[in-house]
Amino acid sequence: MDNRPIGVFDSGLGGLTAVREILNIMPQENVVYFGDTGRVPYGTRSRETILKYAAQDMAFLRSKDVKLVIAACGTVSSVAGALGDALPVPYTGVVRPTALASCLATRNGKIGVIGTTATIRSGSYRRAIHALDKHLSVFEQDCPLFVPLVENDFYHPDNPVPRLVAERYLAPLKQAGVDTLIMGCTHYPLLRETIQQVMGPQVVLIDSGRETAACAMELLRKENALCESGETGRCSFFVSDSTEGFSKAASLFLDRDVTDNVSYIDIVEFAEAHAKTTESEA
Ligand code: DGL
C-alpha cells in the first residue's frame, strides 16, 4: 500500500483524458496534475525543447513526492520516454499501452495512428506496434491543428471547424482502410465524436489516455502500491499559465468542480531553483 499521489503531466488539457480514467478505475488514488499551459503546444517543437520541458515537468512532479509518474502526453512519451525510464520511481508513457490495445483491437491488420508532428516524426507508435507484431500495417498522420483547436475550446462535435479539419487529416487513413485508429495524442479524445463521425462507426478508436490509466493501475498493483485509504482521493492541478480557463475546461471535462484545486506554478522559476539545489547537492 502506498498513499502518495500519482503524478500526471501533459502540455495542457490532454492529460486529463488519463486523469478522468484514473478517477473512474482508481477512485481512492490522489493525483497531482501538471499542465504546461504556458508552453503548449509541445508537438510542433524541436526534440531538444521537448526534452528540456519534459525533464522540468518530471522534476516538478517528483518535488510533490509522487509514487508514479505518468507522461500523459504522446509527444513526451515518443521523444523523451528515456527520461521517464531513468526516474527513481515507476513511470509510464502512453505509447506502449496504446500500441498494445491497438494490436488486440484490429481485425484486418491495418492500424492508423494520429498524433502531433513530433510524435509521428519519431515513429514511436509504429515501432511499438511492430515490436508486438511485425505483420501489422501501420498508417501514420500528424494532425497539428487538433491541439490548438482543443486548447481553444473548439472541440464540440457540432462545431464545423474541427469537422472540416478532421476530414482533411483523416482522408488518407480512410483511404488505407484502417479498422483501428490510435488517438496517439492525449488531446484527441476530446475530439472523439468528430473523429468517429469522419472515420465511420466501424473503426475502433483507441484512447491513449484511457489505456495509459489502465496500465498505471496494473503497474501499481504489481508494485503493491495502490492507495488503500478507504476514502475518495484528492486531485491537485498545477498549470503554468492562467488558472481560470483551465479550471473551467477541467471542471467540465472531469464532470466535477475543480476550481479550488487549481494553482499556478512558474515552471521556469521552479526549474532554475531545482537546478541550483541539484548542483549544490552534487
Ligand atoms: N497531449 C499532447 C500529446 O499527447 C499534446 C502535445 C502538444 O502540446 O502538442 O502529444
XYZ file of all heavy atoms in Angstrom, residues 9-82:
553
model
N 1.371 14.370 -16.076
C 1.610 15.664 -16.733
C 1.387 15.592 -18.237
O 1.417 14.535 -18.858
C 3.012 16.204 -16.428
C 4.134 15.507 -17.158
C 4.660 16.039 -18.341
C 4.677 14.330 -16.678
C 5.704 15.414 -19.009
C 5.717 13.690 -17.339
C 6.234 14.234 -18.511
N 1.124 16.785 -18.752
C 0.921 16.967 -20.193
C 1.233 18.435 -20.495
O 1.412 19.246 -19.585
C -0.540 16.638 -20.558
C -0.823 16.853 -22.042
O 0.006 16.425 -22.871
O -1.847 17.481 -22.385
N 1.240 18.760 -21.785
C 1.463 20.159 -22.141
C 0.253 21.025 -21.806
O 0.375 22.244 -21.755
C 1.739 20.252 -23.644
O 0.646 19.701 -24.358
N -0.900 20.427 -21.609
C -2.094 21.243 -21.361
C -3.232 20.395 -20.829
O -3.085 19.689 -19.830
N -4.351 20.445 -21.555
C -5.564 19.759 -21.108
C -5.577 18.261 -21.409
O -6.318 17.503 -20.794
C -6.770 20.339 -21.876
C -7.291 21.717 -21.533
C -8.321 22.156 -22.579
C -7.943 21.666 -20.162
N -4.762 17.850 -22.393
C -4.879 16.489 -22.922
C -4.741 15.396 -21.874
O -5.474 14.408 -21.896
N -3.824 15.586 -20.924
C -3.591 14.552 -19.917
C -4.805 14.301 -19.033
O -4.863 13.297 -18.315
N -5.782 15.207 -19.098
C -6.998 14.991 -18.306
C -7.746 13.758 -18.794
O -8.547 13.179 -18.056
C -7.917 16.223 -18.386
C -7.362 17.502 -17.762
C -8.341 18.652 -17.962
C -7.091 17.306 -16.267
N -7.485 13.325 -20.032
C -8.127 12.102 -20.520
C -7.624 10.904 -19.700
O -8.382 9.967 -19.448
C -7.875 11.876 -22.031
O -6.464 11.905 -22.291
C -8.538 12.951 -22.869
N -6.366 10.971 -19.256
C -5.848 9.908 -18.373
C -6.404 10.088 -16.959
O -6.798 9.122 -16.308
C -4.323 9.931 -18.353
N -6.458 11.344 -16.496
C -6.958 11.599 -15.133
C -8.415 11.136 -15.011
O -8.798 10.492 -14.024
C -6.851 13.102 -14.768
C -7.533 13.393 -13.439
C -5.387 13.529 -14.726
N -9.214 11.411 -16.024
C -10.625 11.017 -15.957
C -10.738 9.500 -15.760
O -11.542 9.012 -14.975
C -11.355 11.455 -17.236
C -12.848 11.164 -17.171
C -13.637 11.957 -18.156
N -13.440 11.499 -19.519
C -14.139 11.928 -20.550
N -15.079 12.854 -20.369
N -13.915 11.491 -21.752
N -9.905 8.774 -16.461
C -9.946 7.317 -16.349
C -9.403 6.862 -14.987
O -9.921 5.915 -14.396
C -9.149 6.703 -17.510
C -9.333 5.222 -17.670
C -10.764 4.787 -17.988
O -11.615 5.653 -18.289
O -11.011 3.572 -17.909
N -8.368 7.539 -14.483
C -7.846 7.190 -13.147
C -8.967 7.357 -12.112
O -9.178 6.505 -11.248
C -6.637 8.087 -12.775
C -5.430 7.733 -13.647
C -6.279 7.948 -11.291
C -4.242 8.668 -13.488
N -9.711 8.455 -12.223
C -10.788 8.702 -11.257
C -11.859 7.614 -11.357
O -12.473 7.245 -10.357
C -11.416 10.083 -11.484
C -10.471 11.286 -11.365
C -11.203 12.595 -11.617
C -9.803 11.324 -9.987
N -12.064 7.090 -12.570
C -13.060 6.021 -12.771
C -12.610 4.705 -12.185
O -13.366 4.042 -11.496
C -13.250 5.759 -14.279
C -14.332 6.618 -14.841
O -15.195 7.093 -14.114
N -14.274 6.826 -16.145
N -11.359 4.323 -12.511
C -10.952 2.958 -12.155
C -10.195 2.873 -10.824
O -10.095 1.799 -10.260
C -10.136 2.291 -13.298
C -8.827 3.047 -13.574
C -10.959 2.160 -14.566
C -7.940 2.381 -14.622
N -9.659 4.019 -10.351
C -8.934 4.011 -9.069
C -9.377 5.218 -8.235
O -8.586 6.117 -7.946
C -7.415 4.093 -9.305
C -6.833 2.976 -10.122
S -5.031 3.130 -10.303
C -4.884 4.177 -11.747
N -10.655 5.244 -7.844
C -11.188 6.467 -7.199
C -10.491 6.851 -5.896
O -10.593 7.991 -5.462
C -12.669 6.131 -6.966
C -12.783 4.656 -7.124
C -11.670 4.194 -8.005
N -9.764 5.902 -5.272
C -9.111 6.251 -3.999
C -7.780 6.974 -4.196
O -7.217 7.529 -3.244
C -8.831 4.983 -3.202
C -10.085 4.300 -2.743
C -9.775 3.149 -1.789
O -8.751 3.124 -1.130
N -10.672 2.208 -1.734
N -7.271 6.936 -5.427
C -5.934 7.495 -5.641
C -5.931 9.024 -5.564
O -6.846 9.687 -6.055
C -5.392 7.077 -7.022
C -5.126 5.599 -7.157
C -4.011 5.086 -6.231
O -3.131 5.876 -5.834
O -4.049 3.885 -5.910
N -4.878 9.571 -4.969
C -4.641 11.017 -5.006
C -3.836 11.304 -6.268
O -2.975 10.514 -6.645
C -3.830 11.440 -3.779
C -4.568 11.114 -2.499
O -5.675 11.603 -2.269
N -3.990 10.254 -1.669
N -4.147 12.431 -6.900
C -3.488 12.753 -8.169
C -2.925 14.175 -8.113
O -3.601 15.099 -7.649
C -4.494 12.651 -9.353
C -3.850 13.101 -10.663
C -5.048 11.234 -9.500
N -1.685 14.325 -8.565
C -1.135 15.673 -8.787
C -0.940 15.804 -10.289
O -0.247 14.986 -10.909
C 0.225 15.874 -8.088
C 0.795 17.243 -8.443
C 0.098 15.737 -6.588
N -1.565 16.820 -10.863
C -1.504 17.010 -12.316
C -0.750 18.296 -12.634
O -0.987 19.328 -12.005
C -2.935 17.115 -12.859
C -3.011 17.231 -14.371
C -3.026 16.091 -15.155
C -3.065 18.470 -15.000
C -3.085 16.178 -16.543
C -3.120 18.569 -16.381
C -3.134 17.412 -17.144
O -3.199 17.509 -18.516
N 0.139 18.206 -13.603
C 0.757 19.439 -14.104
C 0.441 19.591 -15.592
O 0.731 18.695 -16.391
C 2.273 19.428 -13.896
C 2.935 20.620 -14.544
C 2.585 21.914 -14.161
C 3.861 20.460 -15.562
C 3.152 23.028 -14.773
C 4.442 21.572 -16.181
C 4.073 22.854 -15.782
N -0.179 20.702 -15.960
C -0.451 21.034 -17.356
C 0.388 22.252 -17.723
O 0.216 23.330 -17.130
N 1.290 22.070 -18.669
C 2.231 23.155 -19.014
C 1.580 24.139 -19.983
O 2.066 24.384 -21.091
C 3.503 22.539 -19.607
C 4.677 23.502 -19.568
O 4.503 24.635 -19.085
O 5.770 23.106 -20.022
N 0.476 24.731 -19.524
C -0.364 25.555 -20.391
C 0.340 26.815 -20.905
O -0.061 27.386 -21.900
C -1.645 25.961 -19.642
O -1.262 26.507 -18.371
C -2.545 24.757 -19.393
N 1.402 27.218 -20.187
C 2.153 28.396 -20.639
C 3.033 28.092 -21.844
O 3.504 29.014 -22.517
N 3.286 26.792 -22.110
C 4.217 26.449 -23.189
C 3.602 25.482 -24.208
O 4.302 24.967 -25.079
C 5.500 25.852 -22.604
C 6.146 26.789 -21.592
C 7.523 26.364 -21.167
N 7.550 25.136 -20.385
C 8.600 24.731 -19.676
N 9.695 25.469 -19.658
N 8.566 23.608 -18.985
N 2.277 25.216 -24.065
C 1.604 24.359 -25.038
C 1.577 25.090 -26.382
O 1.470 26.329 -26.372
C 0.155 24.035 -24.540
C -0.743 25.265 -24.506
C -0.477 22.912 -25.345
N 1.711 24.448 -27.537
C 1.865 23.012 -27.753
C 3.321 22.566 -27.728
O 4.227 23.363 -27.987
C 1.292 22.831 -29.161
C 1.648 24.102 -29.874
C 1.595 25.184 -28.816
N 3.513 21.286 -27.393
C 4.839 20.682 -27.445
C 5.108 20.070 -28.828
O 6.251 19.974 -29.261
C 4.953 19.535 -26.429
C 5.166 19.924 -24.976
C 5.042 21.241 -24.518
C 5.496 18.934 -24.043
C 5.243 21.543 -23.177
C 5.701 19.242 -22.708
C 5.568 20.544 -22.276
O 5.775 20.842 -20.943
N 4.035 19.619 -29.457
C 4.176 18.734 -30.622
C 4.763 19.353 -31.870
O 5.104 18.650 -32.815
N 4.882 20.687 -31.876
C 5.466 21.336 -33.043
C 6.908 21.761 -32.732
O 7.547 22.427 -33.542
C 4.650 22.594 -33.416
O 4.412 23.345 -32.219
C 3.308 22.236 -34.024
N 7.415 21.404 -31.553
C 8.740 21.891 -31.132
C 9.846 20.887 -31.438
O 9.591 19.726 -31.759
C 8.711 22.206 -29.633
C 7.748 23.323 -29.323
C 7.814 23.698 -27.878
N 6.687 24.545 -27.532
C 6.691 25.866 -27.594
N 7.749 26.522 -28.020
N 5.624 26.556 -27.245
N 11.086 21.372 -31.274
C 12.238 20.511 -31.579
C 12.403 19.457 -30.477
O 11.902 19.616 -29.355
C 13.509 21.352 -31.635
O 13.815 21.799 -30.330
N 13.159 18.428 -30.802
C 13.445 17.358 -29.852
C 14.094 17.929 -28.581
O 13.729 17.573 -27.467
C 14.384 16.369 -30.559
C 14.679 15.150 -29.792
C 15.382 14.079 -30.629
N 15.625 12.947 -29.763
C 16.655 12.862 -28.939
N 17.559 13.815 -28.915
N 16.786 11.822 -28.134
N 15.046 18.852 -28.771
C 15.789 19.426 -27.633
C 14.833 20.148 -26.681
O 14.921 20.026 -25.468
C 16.863 20.420 -28.123
C 18.033 19.804 -28.873
C 17.651 19.205 -30.231
O 16.698 19.718 -30.872
O 18.281 18.203 -30.634
N 13.930 20.930 -27.275
C 12.986 21.679 -26.424
C 12.056 20.721 -25.691
O 11.798 20.888 -24.487
C 12.167 22.666 -27.293
O 13.091 23.545 -27.939
C 11.183 23.468 -26.479
N 11.575 19.698 -26.388
C 10.656 18.747 -25.739
C 11.383 18.025 -24.587
O 10.828 17.854 -23.497
C 10.087 17.739 -26.765
C 9.227 18.479 -27.802
C 9.261 16.656 -26.080
C 8.886 17.675 -29.048
N 12.648 17.669 -24.819
C 13.423 17.002 -23.755
C 13.577 17.920 -22.541
O 13.425 17.503 -21.394
C 14.809 16.614 -24.283
C 14.863 15.365 -25.164
C 16.206 15.270 -25.882
C 14.614 14.100 -24.344
N 13.872 19.192 -22.816
C 14.060 20.158 -21.712
C 12.756 20.316 -20.911
O 12.745 20.223 -19.687
C 14.518 21.506 -22.278
C 14.759 22.559 -21.214
C 15.401 23.801 -21.780
C 14.337 24.793 -22.163
N 14.843 26.033 -22.723
N 11.666 20.532 -21.620
C 10.382 20.716 -20.934
C 10.004 19.463 -20.144
O 9.555 19.535 -18.994
C 9.259 21.031 -21.940
C 9.330 22.393 -22.596
C 8.392 22.750 -23.566
C 10.307 23.325 -22.253
C 8.432 23.992 -24.182
C 10.350 24.578 -22.866
C 9.406 24.903 -23.831
O 9.441 26.125 -24.441
N 10.193 18.302 -20.767
C 9.795 17.050 -20.099
C 10.597 16.852 -18.815
O 10.050 16.454 -17.780
C 9.999 15.866 -21.047
N 11.905 17.170 -18.866
C 12.746 16.997 -17.666
C 12.243 17.925 -16.554
O 12.172 17.531 -15.382
C 14.199 17.308 -18.008
N 11.864 19.147 -16.911
C 11.378 20.091 -15.902
C 10.033 19.630 -15.323
O 9.798 19.704 -14.116
C 11.238 21.488 -16.525
C 12.583 22.068 -16.955
C 12.458 23.394 -17.695
O 11.374 23.794 -18.108
N 13.589 24.068 -17.875
N 9.172 19.142 -16.197
C 7.846 18.678 -15.749
C 7.997 17.501 -14.779
O 7.321 17.424 -13.741
C 6.990 18.233 -16.948
C 6.802 19.342 -17.983
O 7.119 20.506 -17.674
O 6.337 19.034 -19.105
N 8.895 16.577 -15.140
C 9.092 15.402 -14.279
C 9.685 15.821 -12.934
O 9.297 15.310 -11.885
C 10.013 14.387 -14.967
C 9.352 13.678 -16.148
S 10.496 12.516 -16.933
C 9.648 12.172 -18.470
N 10.634 16.769 -12.965
C 11.247 17.240 -11.712
C 10.186 17.890 -10.828
O 10.175 17.708 -9.603
C 12.372 18.226 -12.013
N 9.279 18.643 -11.437
C 8.227 19.286 -10.656
C 7.352 18.228 -9.965
O 7.084 18.315 -8.757
C 7.364 20.205 -11.540
C 6.195 20.763 -10.794
C 6.404 21.678 -9.763
C 4.909 20.348 -11.070
C 5.332 22.170 -9.021
C 3.831 20.837 -10.332
C 4.047 21.748 -9.310
N 6.956 17.215 -10.710
C 6.108 16.175 -10.097
C 6.869 15.431 -9.007
O 6.312 15.111 -7.962
C 5.610 15.190 -11.164
C 4.531 15.719 -12.112
C 4.118 14.635 -13.094
C 3.292 16.207 -11.342
N 8.147 15.183 -9.249
C 8.951 14.486 -8.231
C 9.011 15.313 -6.937
O 9.059 14.758 -5.847
C 10.374 14.240 -8.752
C 10.445 13.246 -9.893
C 10.690 11.818 -9.407
N 11.942 11.691 -8.693
C 12.085 11.240 -7.440
N 11.038 10.889 -6.743
N 13.274 11.157 -6.883
N 8.983 16.640 -7.080
C 9.028 17.503 -5.886
C 7.745 17.362 -5.061
O 7.676 17.816 -3.924
C 9.254 18.972 -6.277
O 8.060 19.536 -6.789
N 6.724 16.757 -5.644
C 5.454 16.540 -4.930
C 5.395 15.139 -4.334
O 4.322 14.668 -3.949
C 4.266 16.740 -5.890
C 4.171 18.119 -6.478
C 3.735 19.107 -5.410
C 3.820 20.537 -5.883
N 3.809 21.501 -4.790
N 6.532 14.452 -4.304
C 6.638 13.113 -3.704
C 5.615 12.132 -4.293
O 4.869 11.481 -3.556
C 6.466 13.212 -2.181
C 6.850 11.907 -1.499
O 7.654 11.151 -2.081
O 6.335 11.627 -0.399
N 5.605 12.044 -5.615
C 4.658 11.125 -6.252
C 5.236 9.705 -6.267
O 6.442 9.520 -6.245
C 4.318 11.578 -7.694
C 3.613 12.923 -7.674
C 5.560 11.645 -8.582
N 4.337 8.721 -6.312
C 4.805 7.315 -6.299
C 4.931 6.755 -7.711
O 5.512 5.690 -7.901
C 3.832 6.461 -5.487
C 2.408 6.405 -6.052
C 1.515 5.539 -5.198
C 0.050 5.681 -5.615
N -0.849 4.929 -4.736
N 4.368 7.475 -8.673
C 4.380 7.030 -10.067
C 4.284 8.274 -10.943
O 3.540 9.199 -10.612
C 3.153 6.129 -10.319
C 2.752 5.820 -11.764
C 3.738 4.826 -12.387
C 1.346 5.208 -11.821
N 5.035 8.307 -12.025
C 4.927 9.428 -12.968
C 4.303 8.917 -14.255
O 4.753 7.917 -14.823
C 6.317 10.045 -13.264
C 6.236 11.050 -14.411
C 6.885 10.726 -12.014
N 3.262 9.612 -14.699
C 2.643 9.276 -15.980
C 2.853 10.449 -16.938
O 2.390 11.565 -16.663
C 1.121 9.029 -15.847
C 0.837 7.917 -14.833
C 0.499 8.715 -17.195
C -0.651 7.644 -14.619
N 3.558 10.206 -18.031
C 3.634 11.219 -19.090
C 2.380 11.012 -19.933
O 2.349 10.170 -20.822
C 4.885 11.035 -19.933
N 1.329 11.758 -19.605
C 0.060 11.597 -20.309
C 0.086 12.469 -21.558
O -0.802 13.284 -21.798
C -1.105 11.966 -19.403
N 1.119 12.292 -22.317
C 1.400 13.138 -23.474
C 2.106 12.269 -24.509
O 3.187 11.723 -24.232
C 2.296 14.287 -23.026
S 2.865 15.329 -24.392
N 1.476 12.129 -25.683
C 2.076 11.301 -26.727
C 3.420 11.844 -27.162
O 4.353 11.088 -27.451
N 3.541 13.159 -27.186
C 4.768 13.793 -27.664
C 5.936 13.499 -26.724
O 7.006 13.073 -27.150
C 4.539 15.313 -27.783
O 3.376 15.524 -28.589
C 5.727 16.007 -28.395
N 5.711 13.723 -25.433
C 6.779 13.451 -24.456
C 7.099 11.956 -24.447
O 8.266 11.559 -24.443
C 6.358 13.938 -23.046
C 7.293 13.394 -21.982
C 6.330 15.458 -23.003
N 6.079 11.116 -24.467
C 6.313 9.666 -24.434
C 7.132 9.228 -25.637
O 7.956 8.324 -25.536
C 4.986 8.902 -24.458
O 4.092 9.429 -23.536
N 6.902 9.878 -26.778
C 7.592 9.486 -28.008
C 9.022 9.988 -28.056
O 9.908 9.323 -28.559
C 6.850 10.061 -29.229
O 5.558 9.526 -29.292
N 9.233 11.199 -27.531
C 10.529 11.859 -27.719
C 11.409 11.742 -26.475
O 12.631 11.668 -26.580
C 10.298 13.356 -28.075
C 11.597 14.120 -28.182
C 9.497 13.465 -29.370
N 10.777 11.717 -25.290
C 11.552 11.799 -24.046
C 11.262 10.631 -23.108
O 11.484 10.738 -21.896
C 11.240 13.129 -23.355
N 10.786 9.529 -23.657
C 10.450 8.361 -22.828
C 11.634 7.874 -22.012
O 11.477 7.416 -20.875
N 12.858 8.009 -22.571
C 14.052 7.519 -21.865
C 14.258 8.270 -20.547
O 14.752 7.694 -19.574
C 15.272 7.662 -22.755
